[in-house]
Amino acid sequence: MAYVIVDTCTKDNLCVEACPVDCIHPKQDEPDYEAAVQLFVDPEACIDCGACIPVCPTNSIFILEELPADKADFAGKNAAYYGK
């Protein structure tokens, strides 16, 4: 996994728009969008391009290796969203 989204995500969808490989979900038109508390990065589809980081207004996206210790569980939460 290259990037992880954490709980400060406000679902502004700028990262979804910036992602060239469609690896951030749920999108606004997906059934589980309203119920989701944040967006998630698919750990297998992410190509480590970094396009999502500069557009995130809440600084909620981290490189896995730079994920703060108090947010470490979000790596698993992102993967679990995709059943991985």
Side-chain angles (χ1 to χ4, degrees):
M1 175 185 297
Y3 294 93
V4 175
I5 299 177
V6 299
D7 60 345
T8 54
C9 172
T10 58
K11 297 188 339 188
D12 56 69
N13 295 296
L14 295 173
C15 57
V16 172
E17 295 169 18
C19 181
V21 294
D22 191 32
C23 73
I24 301 173
H25 293 270
K27 293 183 177 180
Q28 286 181 314
D29 61 351
E30 295 175 347
D32 56 343
Y33 181 80
E34 290 302 321
V37 296
Q38 69 174 77
L39 301 177
F40 302 93
V41 175
D42 184 333
E44 293 179 9
C46 181
I47 60 169
D48 197 22
C49 71
C52 56
I53 289 181
V55 299
C56 181
T58 57
N59 297 314
S60 299
I61 305 171
F62 292 88
I63 297 170
L64 178 61
E65 294 78 18
E66 296 177 7
L67 193 59
D70 65 331
K71 303 286 185 186
D73 59 326
F74 283 93
K77 289 179 181 182
N78 277 246
Y81 178 81
Y82 297 94
K84 299 171 183 174

